Amino acid sequence: MLSESLKNIWTDMVSETEIFTLDIKRISRTEIDAAYFSMSENRRKRCDSLRFQTDKDLCIAADMLLRRVLSENLGIPAGDIAFSVTEKGKPYLKDGSCHFSISHSGDIAAVALNKNSPVGIDVERIRPVSARIARRVFSESDIRFVFGDCVIPDGEIEDRETLVRFFKVWTYKEAFVKMTGEGISDNLKICSYDKNNCITKTFDDYVMTVITANE
């Protein structure tokens, strides 16, 4: 059941941001199918555009988690929660009662919630990736952090320690643009990894980063 699968993995006491995760493997097919019809029209269209059923299920599970977290924290029925999106695609609550961010990867959906400040979250499953990505979106300081110098190797990155550092940078950039609401841009190099400006957790085969605005 969702109530048993919902997990608050940690709270950042400084920013008062709460982070929740949900493992899709612990949700029944019936729950996922029912949750699909509770999604907003925009979210359902996004889900329908995904090619693989596993990706669709994870998208549904993430929406399910978000609604449950908001319902329990705000004391309103999940079906009464009204969402909207900015011109750049950032979702928000119409009543402005709190800030949230959502992410999913592999079998994990994640939600960050803060009642006072904008927040961004990103979770990624650790897996081999092409080093070419670093050439396109990493700054020089990002590259030094990941590879130890400014030399980017050819082919795929497979070493786990290097991959963990890679995904710390990648999730930082994703969380940052979600927090600001600017969305993915063509110039992510200007958003360099800063361990003092975020909280990053590595668990099982995942890296997760949360950034809360300093307001």
Side-chain angles (χ1 to χ4, degrees):
M1 299 293 292
L2 178 59
S3 60
E4 299 173 352
S5 305
L6 181 65
K7 186 179 181 183
N8 182 340
I9 60 171
W10 87 84
T11 300
D12 176 6
M13 299 306 295
V14 175
S15 66
E16 298 184 344
T17 293
E18 293 185 278
I19 297 91
F20 302 82
T21 63
L22 180 65
D23 187 337
I24 193 174
K25 296 191 301 295
R26 300 182 62 187
I27 307 173
S28 70
R29 180 77 255 168
T30 300
E31 287 178 290
I32 293 176
D33 291 342
Y36 173 81
F37 294 101
S38 299
M39 299 168 72
S40 66
E41 182 178 355
N42 286 337
R43 185 74 179 177
R44 192 155 51 235
K45 286 181 179 179
R46 179 179 178 182
C47 175
D48 291 340
S49 70
L50 298 174
R51 179 179 179 184
F52 299 106
Q53 187 62 48
T54 53
D55 294 330
K56 292 181 179 182
D57 290 348
L58 189 56
C59 180
I60 296 169
D63 187 83
M64 184 193 306
L65 173 63
L66 175 61
R67 288 179 180 276
R68 180 57 180 273
V69 166
L70 291 173
S71 176
E72 292 192 356
N73 278 268
L74 301 179
I76 58 177
D80 292 346
I81 298 172
F83 298 97
S84 189
V85 294
T86 66
E87 290 183 358
K88 293 190 176 181
K90 181 178 181 178
Y92 65 92
L93 290 176
K94 284 186 176 181
D95 65 6
S97 55
C98 72
H99 302 271
F100 67 87
S101 184
I102 187 171
S103 182
H104 50 79
S105 179
D107 293 320
I108 298 295
V111 165
L113 181 70
N114 190 294
K115 294 185 177 180
N116 301 305
S117 302
V119 63
I121 188 172
D122 191 58
V123 60
E124 293 289 342
R125 181 174 59 85
I126 300 170
R127 61 197 185 278
V129 294
S130 172
R132 290 182 299 176
I133 298 174
R135 292 191 179 93
R136 189 171 70 250
V137 300
F138 284 12
S139 66
E140 288 190 8
S141 63
D142 293 333
I143 293 170
R144 284 194 298 271
F145 173 74
V146 175
F147 302 107
D149 51 35
C150 288
V151 178
I152 300 175
D154 295 324
E156 285 194 337
I157 305 169
E158 296 182 347
D159 174 69
R160 182 176 174 83
E161 290 186 3
T162 304
L163 284 169
V164 168
R165 293 193 297 272
F166 175 94
F167 282 112
K168 283 183 177 181
V169 173
W170 182 261
T171 57
Y172 180 92
K173 292 177 183 290
E174 290 266 9
F176 185 87
V177 296
K178 288 181 180 180
M179 182 267 293
T180 62
E182 292 299 313
I184 296 296
S185 68
D186 294 329
N187 194 15
L188 285 176
K189 290 184 177 181
I190 64 174
C191 170
S192 297
Y193 175 69
D194 181 357
K195 67 178 182 180
N196 298 314
N197 190 41
C198 68
I199 293 181
T200 300
K201 298 287 186 180
T202 302
F203 60 99
D204 299 329
D205 289 323
Y206 296 88
V207 173
M208 179 186 297
T209 296
V210 179
I211 302 178
T212 304
N214 296 318
E215 294 191 338

mmCIF file of all heavy atoms in Angstrom, residues 4-20:
data_model
loop_
_atom_site.group_PDB
_atom_site.id
_atom_site.type_symbol
_atom_site.label_atom_id
_atom_site.label_comp_id
_atom_site.label_asym_id
_atom_site.label_seq_id
_atom_site.Cartn_x
_atom_site.Cartn_y
_atom_site.Cartn_z
ATOM 1 N N GLU A 4 2.218 2.586 3.320
ATOM 2 C CA GLU A 4 3.340 1.840 3.870
ATOM 3 C C GLU A 4 4.620 2.090 3.082
ATOM 4 O O GLU A 4 5.718 1.912 3.581
ATOM 5 C CB GLU A 4 3.018 0.351 3.873
ATOM 6 C CG GLU A 4 1.808 -0.013 4.732
ATOM 7 C CD GLU A 4 1.416 -1.457 4.583
ATOM 8 O OE1 GLU A 4 1.991 -2.128 3.699
ATOM 9 O OE2 GLU A 4 0.548 -1.916 5.332
ATOM 10 N N SER A 5 4.484 2.502 1.811
ATOM 11 C CA SER A 5 5.637 2.703 0.947
ATOM 12 C C SER A 5 6.192 4.111 1.046
ATOM 13 O O SER A 5 7.356 4.362 0.771
ATOM 14 C CB SER A 5 5.259 2.411 -0.512
ATOM 15 O OG SER A 5 4.722 1.123 -0.639
ATOM 16 N N LEU A 6 5.323 5.066 1.435
ATOM 17 C CA LEU A 6 5.746 6.455 1.558
ATOM 18 C C LEU A 6 6.825 6.572 2.621
ATOM 19 O O LEU A 6 6.664 6.088 3.733
ATOM 20 C CB LEU A 6 4.540 7.315 1.934
ATOM 21 C CG LEU A 6 4.772 8.818 2.096
ATOM 22 C CD1 LEU A 6 5.163 9.441 0.773
ATOM 23 C CD2 LEU A 6 3.510 9.474 2.643
ATOM 24 N N LYS A 7 7.913 7.226 2.288
ATOM 25 C CA LYS A 7 9.035 7.289 3.217
ATOM 26 C C LYS A 7 9.633 8.684 3.248
ATOM 27 O O LYS A 7 10.058 9.211 2.231
ATOM 28 C CB LYS A 7 10.099 6.267 2.797
ATOM 29 C CG LYS A 7 11.254 6.134 3.780
ATOM 30 C CD LYS A 7 12.240 5.084 3.311
ATOM 31 C CE LYS A 7 13.394 4.904 4.286
ATOM 32 N NZ LYS A 7 14.387 3.934 3.796
ATOM 33 N N ASN A 8 9.654 9.288 4.429
ATOM 34 C CA ASN A 8 10.348 10.545 4.632
ATOM 35 C C ASN A 8 11.794 10.199 4.954
ATOM 36 O O ASN A 8 12.093 9.721 6.043
ATOM 37 C CB ASN A 8 9.710 11.325 5.790
ATOM 38 C CG ASN A 8 10.370 12.671 6.024
ATOM 39 O OD1 ASN A 8 11.503 12.901 5.616
ATOM 40 N ND2 ASN A 8 9.671 13.562 6.686
ATOM 41 N N ILE A 9 12.709 10.405 4.005
ATOM 42 C CA ILE A 9 14.078 9.938 4.201
ATOM 43 C C ILE A 9 14.927 10.917 5.002
ATOM 44 O O ILE A 9 15.873 10.508 5.656
ATOM 45 C CB ILE A 9 14.770 9.590 2.880
ATOM 46 C CG1 ILE A 9 14.834 10.810 1.947
ATOM 47 C CG2 ILE A 9 14.077 8.439 2.204
ATOM 48 C CD1 ILE A 9 15.695 10.564 0.726
ATOM 49 N N TRP A 10 14.596 12.205 4.937
ATOM 50 C CA TRP A 10 15.308 13.131 5.814
ATOM 51 C C TRP A 10 14.664 14.510 5.746
ATOM 52 O O TRP A 10 13.906 14.817 4.826
ATOM 53 C CB TRP A 10 16.801 13.208 5.489
ATOM 54 C CG TRP A 10 17.232 14.196 4.441
ATOM 55 C CD1 TRP A 10 17.486 15.527 4.621
ATOM 56 C CD2 TRP A 10 17.504 13.934 3.052
ATOM 57 N NE1 TRP A 10 17.893 16.094 3.443
ATOM 58 C CE2 TRP A 10 17.924 15.148 2.480
ATOM 59 C CE3 TRP A 10 17.455 12.796 2.261
ATOM 60 C CZ2 TRP A 10 18.255 15.249 1.127
ATOM 61 C CZ3 TRP A 10 17.794 12.894 0.927
ATOM 62 C CH2 TRP A 10 18.190 14.104 0.372
ATOM 63 N N THR A 11 14.951 15.320 6.746
ATOM 64 C CA THR A 11 14.514 16.708 6.785
ATOM 65 C C THR A 11 15.730 17.583 6.990
ATOM 66 O O THR A 11 16.516 17.356 7.906
ATOM 67 C CB THR A 11 13.511 16.957 7.925
ATOM 68 O OG1 THR A 11 12.359 16.129 7.743
ATOM 69 C CG2 THR A 11 13.082 18.411 7.953
ATOM 70 N N ASP A 12 15.897 18.586 6.120
ATOM 71 C CA ASP A 12 16.962 19.566 6.282
ATOM 72 C C ASP A 12 16.471 20.589 7.308
ATOM 73 O O ASP A 12 15.623 21.428 7.013
ATOM 74 C CB ASP A 12 17.258 20.239 4.941
ATOM 75 C CG ASP A 12 18.297 21.352 5.065
ATOM 76 O OD1 ASP A 12 18.855 21.508 6.162
ATOM 77 O OD2 ASP A 12 18.548 22.047 4.073
ATOM 78 N N MET A 13 16.987 20.506 8.515
ATOM 79 C CA MET A 13 16.488 21.328 9.605
ATOM 80 C C MET A 13 16.797 22.808 9.398
ATOM 81 O O MET A 13 16.103 23.669 9.936
ATOM 82 C CB MET A 13 17.076 20.859 10.935
ATOM 83 C CG MET A 13 16.709 19.417 11.285
ATOM 84 S SD MET A 13 14.921 19.102 11.245
ATOM 85 C CE MET A 13 14.394 20.165 12.592
ATOM 86 N N VAL A 14 17.836 23.119 8.609
ATOM 87 C CA VAL A 14 18.193 24.520 8.385
ATOM 88 C C VAL A 14 17.154 25.193 7.494
ATOM 89 O O VAL A 14 16.620 26.256 7.805
ATOM 90 C CB VAL A 14 19.596 24.645 7.767
ATOM 91 C CG1 VAL A 14 19.899 26.103 7.439
ATOM 92 C CG2 VAL A 14 20.644 24.088 8.726
ATOM 93 N N SER A 15 16.844 24.554 6.365
ATOM 94 C CA SER A 15 15.904 25.146 5.416
ATOM 95 C C SER A 15 14.468 24.683 5.639
ATOM 96 O O SER A 15 13.540 25.190 5.028
ATOM 97 C CB SER A 15 16.306 24.780 3.983
ATOM 98 O OG SER A 15 16.175 23.379 3.771
ATOM 99 N N GLU A 16 14.287 23.687 6.522
ATOM 100 C CA GLU A 16 12.978 23.101 6.795
ATOM 101 C C GLU A 16 12.385 22.446 5.553
ATOM 102 O O GLU A 16 11.161 22.416 5.380
ATOM 103 C CB GLU A 16 12.020 24.156 7.369
ATOM 104 C CG GLU A 16 12.495 24.725 8.701
ATOM 105 C CD GLU A 16 11.492 25.706 9.299
ATOM 106 O OE1 GLU A 16 10.608 26.167 8.568
ATOM 107 O OE2 GLU A 16 11.617 26.002 10.494
ATOM 108 N N THR A 17 13.235 21.923 4.709
ATOM 109 C CA THR A 17 12.785 21.166 3.543
ATOM 110 C C THR A 17 12.676 19.693 3.905
ATOM 111 O O THR A 17 13.599 19.121 4.481
ATOM 112 C CB THR A 17 13.779 21.323 2.368
ATOM 113 O OG1 THR A 17 13.750 22.674 1.902
ATOM 114 C CG2 THR A 17 13.408 20.401 1.213
ATOM 115 N N GLU A 18 11.537 19.097 3.584
ATOM 116 C CA GLU A 18 11.323 17.676 3.810
ATOM 117 C C GLU A 18 11.438 16.928 2.489
ATOM 118 O O GLU A 18 10.952 17.401 1.460
ATOM 119 C CB GLU A 18 9.950 17.425 4.423
ATOM 120 C CG GLU A 18 9.791 17.956 5.839
ATOM 121 C CD GLU A 18 8.444 17.573 6.420
ATOM 122 O OE1 GLU A 18 7.473 18.274 6.122
ATOM 123 O OE2 GLU A 18 8.376 16.563 7.150
ATOM 124 N N ILE A 19 12.054 15.753 2.533
ATOM 125 C CA ILE A 19 12.271 14.959 1.332
ATOM 126 C C ILE A 19 11.638 13.585 1.516
ATOM 127 O O ILE A 19 11.877 12.915 2.530
ATOM 128 C CB ILE A 19 13.773 14.816 1.007
ATOM 129 C CG1 ILE A 19 14.386 16.190 0.712
ATOM 130 C CG2 ILE A 19 13.978 13.897 -0.199
ATOM 131 C CD1 ILE A 19 14.945 16.887 1.924
ATOM 132 N N PHE A 20 10.843 13.186 0.549
ATOM 133 C CA PHE A 20 10.146 11.915 0.592
ATOM 134 C C PHE A 20 10.498 11.083 -0.640
ATOM 135 O O PHE A 20 10.720 11.635 -1.718
ATOM 136 C CB PHE A 20 8.635 12.122 0.613
ATOM 137 C CG PHE A 20 8.132 12.950 1.758
ATOM 138 C CD1 PHE A 20 8.168 14.338 1.696
ATOM 139 C CD2 PHE A 20 7.621 12.342 2.893
ATOM 140 C CE1 PHE A 20 7.699 15.112 2.752
ATOM 141 C CE2 PHE A 20 7.154 13.101 3.954
ATOM 142 C CZ PHE A 20 7.192 14.485 3.882
#
